[in-house]
Amino acid sequence: MCRFCEQASLGEQEAYDPQLGRGGFLPGANLPPDLILCDGPILTMDESRPEVTAIAIRQGVIRAVGRTEEVLSSRGRGTRVVRLEGRAVLPGFVGTGLRLPEARDRAALDRWIEGRARAGYTTVDVATLGRDWGEYRTLSGLIDRRHRLRLRGAVEEGLRQDWREGALDPGHGNDLVRIEALQMRPPADSAAMERAEALHRDGWGLVFDCAGDGGLTPVLQLAALAGGRRLAGMRVLSPRAPAPAEEAALQAAGLSVVTPPEADPVATLTGPRDVVLARIDRLTRRAARLAGLAAIAGQIRPGTYADLAILDRSPLWPGAEAPKLVQTWIEGVPVTPEADRDQI
């Protein structure tokens, strides 16, 4: 089809969330999908349609979900159809509260990225995207070269002052690597509190890291300093889950607490059905909401990226063992090592 015929066939184009990173309208909204996955359990984590048997993908974005026969009706001559044959599809896992490795040379960062993809993570919200701009550029270069992971995260507040390429605004970057927050110490007095709130009004998310000796104490003092004001959009990065009383105080101030995710999330998907569903929700929809990424990740529904974790069987099937990860996909393309790519 020539480009003029293609444009004529589009019909009414659908606007979509600018977080997808391409801006404007989704081209080819009414054209046949590039790929259909069907005949398998697909857990969407979308309450309106929690389980389907087929999804259609075009240009890396989910175009349709539903029963196999209804989704297959949209295929064209160039559509590739993959029958899952018992394998299960989940939204790609979203990791919150992760940290880059202590070694930050190119090889170490490359291994870290590969490790997240091998675990089924497609989007990771990291505590800091580098201790300096050199580390940030190395990390961005590795992601841009091979699209194996989607990174969101913070930079230390001091680095914002060192930026030499014009104003550094919230959301700097692209749909693969994006700076969305500033990491800073919890404000200890009213002047520091006013500064933090001014940054938040300017669109910055704020991350308070509690990995030091003081633990959650400085943030609990911040909650008291807020004096009843809600600090929504400010997050607390903690190496441990807060005690019930601590969590109640932080929630009352509107602070979200983020703890590190599982190193091997698929291994946790065993047990009673409701327990497994709760764990999947924590790895997908809930994590995406905590990271501010609910519009593009955490669910399989039209308009979200085709970022997927493919398992050898449904985690909801009865069995003593957890399923195994077969592949991780970013925008409808396998990103796990070459040796795994023939498995689907």
Side-chain angles (χ1 to χ4, degrees):
M1 180 183 293
C2 74
R3 63 189 179 93
F4 300 104
C5 296
E6 181 177 21
Q7 290 169 354
S9 71
L10 293 181
E12 184 178 352
Q13 293 180 315
E14 299 175 4
Y16 72 111
D17 196 292
Q19 286 193 76
L20 288 177
R22 301 184 185 89
F25 294 93
L26 179 60
N30 297 324
L31 292 175
D34 304 316
L35 174 66
I36 291 175
L37 301 181
C38 63
D39 291 345
I42 299 171
L43 306 182
T44 68
M45 304 313 294
D46 180 356
E47 291 178 350
S48 66
R49 210 163 188 181
E51 187 168 346
V52 298
T53 57
I55 56 174
I57 300 168
R58 180 171 177 82
Q59 296 183 351
V61 176
I62 303 292
R63 300 304 312 144
V65 303
R67 298 189 309 273
T68 294
E69 57 271 22
E70 66 183 0
V71 174
L72 282 177
S73 68
S74 68
R75 65 180 167 181
R77 286 182 297 178
T79 302
R80 179 185 172 216
V81 176
V82 174
R83 299 190 182 274
L84 293 166
E85 299 177 343
R87 287 163 295 204
V89 179
L90 275 62
F93 303 142
V94 179
T96 57
L98 272 82
R99 299 176 187 276
L100 297 178
E102 276 303 310
R104 304 282 177 88
D105 59 273
R106 189 179 184 86
L109 289 173
D110 196 54
R111 287 192 299 271
W112 183 86
I113 293 168
E114 193 71 60
R116 306 293 77 72
R118 281 177 173 270
Y121 288 106
T122 55
T123 302
V124 170
D125 185 53
V126 292
T128 175
L129 287 166
R131 289 170 294 211
D132 55 48
W133 290 117
E135 288 183 358
Y136 169 78
R137 292 188 180 94
T138 298
L139 190 62
S140 297
L142 288 168
I143 295 291
D144 288 339
R145 182 171 59 88
R146 293 176 59 199
H147 298 181
R148 294 167 293 169
L149 197 63
R150 206 179 299 283
L151 283 180
R152 298 292 188 273
V155 294
E156 294 181 5
E157 186 188 8
L159 284 184
R160 178 170 172 256
Q161 312 303 323
D162 296 336
W163 185 250
R164 294 290 183 266
E165 300 177 19
L168 180 64
D169 297 318
H172 174 83
N174 54 42
D175 59 341
L176 289 171
V177 184
R178 182 173 295 171
I179 300 170
E180 295 188 330
L182 297 176
Q183 186 187 93
M184 58 192 304
R185 293 182 178 179
D189 54 45
S190 57
M193 184 72 174
E194 288 176 7
R195 171 167 171 72
E197 291 183 316
L199 289 168
H200 189 247
R201 286 194 298 272
D202 287 342
W204 285 104
L206 300 181
V207 176
F208 305 125
D209 192 350
C210 295
D213 295 337
L216 286 169
T217 300
V219 183
L220 292 168
Q221 293 170 346
L222 166 63
L225 183 65
R229 298 197 304 277
R230 301 248 332 144
L231 306 176
M234 303 184 189
R235 288 182 290 156
V236 178
L237 184 61
S238 173
R240 64 169 178 86
E246 294 172 330
E247 186 170 15
L250 296 172
Q251 287 182 348
L255 291 163
S256 301
V257 181
V258 179
T259 55
E262 302 286 346
D264 185 2
V266 178
T268 70
L269 303 183
T270 183
R273 179 186 177 93
D274 57 342
V275 171
V276 173
L277 280 172
R279 288 170 177 164
I280 296 172
D281 185 66
R282 189 166 62 245
L283 288 164
T284 57
R285 181 174 54 180
R286 182 181 172 191
R289 191 164 56 244
L290 274 174
L293 299 169
I296 63 170
Q299 298 181 64
I300 298 174
R301 55 180 172 79
T304 60
Y305 282 121
D307 293 354
L308 310 170
I310 301 178
L311 311 184
D312 64 345
R313 64 174 178 84
S314 172
L316 303 182
W317 290 353
E321 295 185 358
K324 292 181 172 55
L325 182 73
V326 176
Q327 286 183 344
T328 305
W329 287 23
I330 296 281
E331 297 187 27
V333 177
V335 296
T336 37
E338 294 291 341
D340 298 335
R341 293 195 182 189
D342 293 334
Q343 295 187 45
I344 191 166

